[in-house]
Amino acid sequence: MKDLAGKDISVYFPPPIGVCCAGLGTNNRMQMRYANATSAAAFPQAVHWSSELAVWTGTELSRDDWYNSIFLKKMNEFYKGPVVWDSQQISKAVNDDKR
């Protein structure tokens, strides 16, 4: 997908809601949606839905632990530049936007 080369592709790897909101009574059939349309994936066919939302069943993506045990583990190997924000920056942005 040459169209995505060099771009922030975070929106193409959404964490299962049961992973990012563990303990809140959610399940892996729920999915997050972006409030800001400009954050949505320009190529929806490239989104890597995982766990129960995986489009390709019978693959690694359909594992409940794919996001944490495979995806995040692999991503930790890569360089993280100025596009990556720390948790304090994200918290401040969320709280300052009064959402």
Side-chain angles (χ1 to χ4, degrees), residues 3 5 7 12 18 26-27 37 42 44 49-50 53 55-57 64-65 69 82 84 87 89 91 99:
D3 294 318
K7 300 205 173 37
Y12 293 93
T26 61
N27 64 53
W49 296 108
S50 61
L53 295 173
V55 176
W56 301 282
T57 58
D64 284 340
D65 66 342
S69 67
V84 178
S87 58
Q89 288 175 298
S91 179
R99 291 187 181 200

